[in-house]
Amino acid sequence: NFAQYNHHTGFSELSGLWLTNIPLSHSFSLQPMAYGRMLFGSEIPYTRLNNVGGPWFGHYLEEQMPFAGSHNVEIAGNRMAAAQLQGQWHLTTNNYMAAAAAIMFDHNDLDRLLRTKPHYGFRTAWAYRTVLGPVGASLNYNTRQKEVSLYINLGYEF
């Protein structure tokens, strides 16, 4: 009814993202990023929960946030904050390399968010630009999923 959700006050979402590109040479740049999403209230619908995984925002789910080194999407706590540092190298005309490291905090209680044990993620990637789109591979590891994975990309993302 636009005033209540299931006969009580609804829930709220607060999200933020900061990303910049710092060119250090003609072939190398750093990309620091900080982001997070916090959910407040009770009875938060399953479809609005925080999801982390993969290298992109909103790829499979609207609420999906990236986490370097993850190979699948997982539900995170209601309060989530993360930071990532990525380096990108332009090796030749069509060859690219990237490496990223990330740290993530998630918890259901805001006052315990930064006191929880953080998760770490690492990704190294290579890509080759072709007429049909980029071809590439990435090697991933994170302390949340605790396994190494290989992701192969063929063509553009849709």
Side-chain angles (χ1 to χ4, degrees):
N1 65 8
F2 297 106
Q4 292 185 333
Y5 176 76
N6 255 357
H7 307 291
H8 59 80
T9 304
F11 62 94
S12 300
E13 300 177 20
L14 174 66
S15 62
L17 166 66
W18 174 78
L19 170 67
T20 190
N21 186 56
I22 304 168
L24 298 178
S25 72
H26 71 282
S27 63
F28 178 73
S29 66
L30 285 177
Q31 296 175 336
M33 175 172 58
Y35 57 98
R37 185 166 182 262
M38 302 198 184
L39 305 172
F40 301 95
S42 60
E43 287 191 59
I44 298 169
Y46 190 77
T47 58
R48 302 302 302 166
L49 294 177
N50 290 330
N51 295 282
V52 294
W56 306 284
F57 283 94
H59 185 63
Y60 296 113
L61 303 163
E62 181 182 340
E63 300 77 22
Q64 180 182 347
M65 292 169 282
F67 184 55
S70 61
H71 55 274
N72 60 340
V73 178
E74 293 185 353
I75 294 174
N78 288 346
R79 279 71 166 187
M80 182 266 188
Q84 176 179 291
L85 181 61
Q86 178 169 288
Q88 286 189 266
W89 296 268
H90 187 169
L91 300 173
T92 65
T93 304
N94 293 320
N95 272 297
Y96 299 87
M97 292 284 298
I103 184 171
M104 178 182 72
F105 296 90
D106 72 315
H107 201 279
N108 286 334
D109 296 324
L110 183 60
D111 60 336
R112 297 188 65 196
L113 179 65
L114 296 178
R115 292 185 294 176
T116 62
K117 184 178 177 184
H119 298 285
Y120 299 97
F122 308 94
R123 178 182 69 243
T124 59
W126 164 82
Y128 183 79
R129 186 172 47 194
T130 70
V131 174
L132 300 175
V135 173
S138 66
L139 192 60
N140 307 286
Y141 176 79
N142 73 73
T143 59
R144 186 178 176 101
Q145 297 166 343
K146 297 183 179 155
E147 54 187 35
V148 176
S149 66
L150 175 66
Y151 178 80
I152 297 175
N153 179 57
L154 304 171
Y156 292 107
E157 284 297 320
F158 294 100

